Structures are given as structure tokens and as C-alpha cells.
């Protein structure tokens, strides 16, 4: 496996080649933006480069699609006064000594009660809290969305919550909707947007005209919330 680069306009495409016992070449763009070429064992490197060149436009489009869904949260140090987000609002971290672990949201503060105040311990307690809040809030919004929209009434769907490093949500053809736990840091409307987007995929799997007209009919201001998500989080 070796990494190579190809210049395309103002952008460079890095890709790795994997040789395999197969007949034709294939290109994958993974959600982390990496590009993988799978080539038959005896392929010349010039042929590979040619293939990547012809697919360059598509590769860049795929990469842009994935980065637009990347949650952008800077690393946290878990110090007093540091800002942490919850449902689109900023709260200051306040570490409190206590015999039991607990998190409370109170007057602009996220209070973390803990025996030890090490960075690791506070991080752990806070992540657990975000996870449990995410489950509760996502479930509420999911149920509401399903009830409000008759288009989804005959669909069999289940909701799952998971930390996903590169996407906000996903939907499988079997009706399994997965939401990124990190969404609990965004405004409720952003969470609703991702839920509606994923549910629309149950009816139209691809991002085509019909998909967008359904999305528009359910959430006319969806673009505003998508942008809010993409702008990242401070
Ligand atoms: Zn989609």
C-alpha cells in the first residue's frame, strides 16, 4: 500500500492503492475523506493515475459531501469556566466535589459533581451525561416527527444513538436510523433536520429532486439548520 498524489485544479487528491485478485479497478472515498484505489494485481501505475484523473471530479464531490457532515468540536481540557454546548447553548463548566457522580445544568453552568476532578474523570462523567441526554431527546424528537408526518406512518423504523466520528446520521433500507450522539450539542431544530433527512431516505434513498421536494415539504427551512450544523460548534 503506497500513497500517491494527483493535482486536480487547485486541489490535490491523495490516494492509496491496494492490489487485489480482481478484474477491474474500483475507487472508494471513505467517510474520513481518504481515497482508496483497488486495482487488479498487475495494473501499471500509469493506468491507476489515469483512472483517478477521470474520476477526480467525483472524488472531490464525495470528499466535500463527507466533510460537510463532520462534527467540528475543538478538543476540551475540562477546566472550570470552559464552555461546553448543550442543545445549541453554551454553558460554563463548573467542577463540584461530591461523593457521587452527577451532572446538572443550572443558570448557564454545566455542573459536574465528582469525587476526583481529573480531566479524564470529568470527561467520562460528561460524556455519559451527553449520551443519556441524547437518547432521551432524540427519542422525543423522533417520535414527534413520526407522528406529525403521515408519509412515515407506514414505515417500520428504529432509532439508535452512537458516537460517529464523520457523520451526523445514517439510515439503512431496513429502517434503522442512527444519530450521532454529538448532535445533542446542537439546537433541537438541527437534530430535527437530521432526523427528517434520514427519514426521507426511507422513501427516496438518493439525494434526488424528489428527495429534496419531500424534505422541503416537511421542513421548509432545513437549509438554515444544515448550515448551522456545518458551521461547526464553538
Ligand atoms: Zn442524505
Amino acid at each position: 500500500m503506497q500513497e500517491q498524489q494527483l493535482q486536480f485544479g487547485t486541489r490535490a487528491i491523495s490516494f492509496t492503492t491496494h492490489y487485489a485478485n480482481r478484474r477491474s479497478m474500483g475507487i472508494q472515498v471513505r467517510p474520513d475523506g481518504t481515497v482508496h484505489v483497488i486495482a487488479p494485481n498487475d495494473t501499471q501505475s500509469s493506468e491507476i493515475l489515469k483512472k483517478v484523473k477521470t474520476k477526480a471530479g467525483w472524488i472531490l464531490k464525495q470528499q466535500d459531501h463527507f466533510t460537510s457532515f463532520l462534527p467540528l468540536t475543538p478538543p476540551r481540557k475540562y477546566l472550570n469556566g470552559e464552555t461546553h454546548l448543550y442543545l445549541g447553548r453554551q454553558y460554563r463548566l463548573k467542577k463540584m466535589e461530591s461523593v457521587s457522580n452527577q451532572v446538572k445544568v443550572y443558570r448557564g453552568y454545566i455542573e459536574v459533581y465528582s469525587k476526583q476532578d481529573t480531566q479524564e474523570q470529568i470527561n467520562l462523567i460528561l460524556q455519559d451525561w451527553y449520551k443519556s441526554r441524547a437518547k432521551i431527546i432524540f427519542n422525543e424528537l423522533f417520535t414527534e416527527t413520526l407522528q406529525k408526518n403521515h408519509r412515515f406512518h407506514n414505515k417500520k423504523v428504529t432509532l439508535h444513538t452512537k458516537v460517529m466520528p464523520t457523520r451526523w446520521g445514517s439510515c439503512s433500507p431496513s429502517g434503522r436510523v442512527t444519530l450521532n450522539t454529538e448532535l445533542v450539542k446542537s439546537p433541537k431544530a438541527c437534530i430535527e433536520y437530521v432526523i427528517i433527512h434520514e427519514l426521507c431516505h426511507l422513501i427516496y434513498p438518493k439525494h434526488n429532486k424528489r428527495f429534496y421536494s419531500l424534505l422541503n415539504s416537511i421542513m421548509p427551512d432545513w437549509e438554515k439548520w444544515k448550515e448551522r450544523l456545518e458551521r461547526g460548534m464553538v
Side-chain angles (χ1 to χ4, degrees):
M1 198 174 84
Q2 57 170 131
E3 194 171 55
Q4 273 178 288
Q5 249 195 17
L6 173 86
Q7 196 65 32
F8 186 76
T10 56
R11 293 173 64 174
I13 296 171
S14 300
F15 63 93
T16 47
T17 305
H18 311 257
Y19 292 95
N21 194 5
R22 55 182 276 165
R23 291 222 181 120
S24 62
M25 245 188 280
I27 298 181
Q28 291 175 349
V29 180
R30 300 206 182 139
D32 63 359
T34 55
V35 180
H36 302 263
V37 178
I38 301 109
N41 282 322
D42 54 351
T43 317
Q44 301 279 317
S45 67
S46 60
E47 263 180 81
I48 293 171
L49 215 57
K50 208 171 128 195
K51 176 86 177 176
V52 175
K53 231 182 217 169
T54 58
K55 285 286 212 173
W58 175 82
I59 292 170
L60 293 173
K61 220 172 126 192
Q62 291 299 109
Q63 285 180 328
D64 290 345
H65 173 77
F66 286 129
T67 49
S68 73
F69 277 93
L70 277 178
L72 305 162
T73 313
R76 294 296 188 220
K77 295 195 178 96
Y78 303 97
L79 302 171
N80 276 324
E82 188 179 58
T83 41
H84 286 261
L85 287 157
Y86 175 55
L87 294 178
R89 291 221 188 126
Q90 292 193 332
Y91 292 90
R92 296 203 168 272
L93 181 68
K94 200 185 215 173
K95 297 193 273 188
M96 317 280 271
E97 224 186 273
S98 167
V99 282
S100 58
N101 300 338
Q102 208 183 340
V103 176
K104 283 184 194 164
V105 173
Y106 183 68
R107 292 190 173 173
Y109 286 95
I110 285 189
E111 299 175 341
V112 180
Y113 294 78
S114 161
K115 260 180 266 181
Q116 313 156 4
D117 76 344
T118 61
Q119 191 175 327
E120 220 186 325
Q121 178 70 2
I122 302 295
N123 175 11
L124 224 74
I125 297 170
L126 211 48
Q127 294 321 315
D128 273 353
W129 178 76
Y130 274 126
K131 265 183 219 162
S132 67
R133 292 308 303 161
K135 273 196 187 135
I136 294 165
I137 290 160
F138 296 174
N139 259 308
E140 280 172 11
L141 293 174
F142 192 69
T143 312
E144 261 174 47
T145 308
L146 287 174
Q147 279 168 355
K148 273 195 282 191
N149 297 287
H150 66 98
R151 288 299 301 264
F152 307 130
H153 283 180
N154 60 346
K155 299 283 170 194
K156 240 187 164 183
V157 282
T158 54
L159 178 69
H160 304 265
T161 301
K162 183 171 117 174
V163 177
M164 293 193 274
T166 57
R167 354 187 21 181
W168 289 119
S170 67
C171 179
S172 77
S174 63
R176 187 186 166 95
V177 173
T178 308
L179 297 180
N180 191 335
T181 314
E182 286 285 297
L183 273 173
V184 79
K185 296 175 184 172
S186 308
K188 277 192 177 175
C190 291
I191 307 171
E192 270 178 57
Y193 156 66
V194 178
I195 292 174
I196 294 168
H197 180 116
E198 299 308 337
L199 288 173
C200 287
H201 275 313
L202 286 177
I203 298 165
Y204 303 114
K206 287 188 179 165
H207 292 136
N208 55 19
K209 260 193 182 165
R210 287 165 151 192
F211 172 87
Y212 285 111
S213 78
L214 178 61
L215 184 58
N216 276 324
S217 70
I218 297 171
M219 192 184 213
D221 60 350
W222 65 271
E223 267 170 305
K224 179 173 134 194
W225 302 111
K226 180 176 182 267
E227 260 168 42
R228 175 80 160 77
L229 269 177
E230 287 168 3
R231 238 186 295 138
M233 302 171 178
V234 203

